[in-house]
Amino acid sequence: GRKIIVWQRVQKLRTLRTHESDIKAMICFGTSLVSVDEMGMLVVHHTGSEHVQRKIDLGADFRPTGLIHPHTYLNKILVVSESGCMELWNIRSSKRIYRFKGWGSAIRTVEQSPAIDVI
């Protein structure tokens, strides 16, 4: 779907309607809720309100399939794609830090390793 419904226990608090296409993945860390849709729009919400902190367009050629916040990386999100490439973004400054080329096959899921700096 295109909307995020925020609940606290059994009470519906708010509905966030910031995406124009279906949401592919979302992650919550700190006071931020980060979601990415199938058209490559990454949206950062503040968890305590309906306020949108940032909107980042990943580009028309980047079709995201998932995202993760690496544990030791402050304000960073790693977004993975159907083409096999990955992008590391700083969500505080809205800047792409690095683009990993990949191996030409789709990445369907991503998980943090117990080892530092290994995804």
Side-chain angles (χ1 to χ4, degrees):
R2 297 178 181 182
K3 59 186 175 181
I4 299 169
I5 301 172
V6 181
W7 293 82
Q8 183 174 13
R9 297 193 178 141
V10 296
Q11 182 180 11
K12 181 178 171 182
L13 298 178
R14 67 186 68 83
T15 301
L16 307 173
R17 294 179 176 91
T18 54
H19 288 281
E20 295 179 12
S21 61
D22 289 343
I23 297 169
K24 295 295 280 187
M26 63 182 167
I27 188 170
C28 189
F29 68 98
T31 59
S32 298
L33 171 66
V34 182
S35 57
V36 64
D37 65 28
E38 61 188 10
M39 299 305 290
M41 182 60 69
L42 188 130
V43 181
V44 182
H45 292 94
H46 186 272
T47 54
S49 69
E50 294 182 29
H51 175 67
V52 174
Q53 292 176 326
R54 307 253 186 291
K55 278 191 173 184
I56 302 169
D57 187 1
L58 301 176
D61 64 329
F62 193 85
R63 306 282 295 186
T65 56
L67 53 89
I68 190 169
H69 165 61
H71 292 156
T72 57
Y73 287 55
L74 187 63
N75 302 319
K76 309 296 186 297
I77 292 290
L78 182 68
V79 186
V80 298
S81 73
E82 287 180 358
S83 66
C85 66
M86 300 179 286
E87 292 185 350
L88 184 64
W89 283 84
N90 183 321
I91 61 167
R92 183 81 60 188
S93 66
S94 301
K95 294 186 189 256
R96 183 174 67 188
I97 296 168
Y98 194 78
R99 182 179 178 114
F100 303 89
K101 293 181 184 177
W103 295 271
S105 60
I107 301 172
R108 298 290 177 210
T109 187
V110 62
E111 187 63 40
Q112 179 76 45
S113 167
I116 295 176
D117 298 334
V118 177
I119 298 289

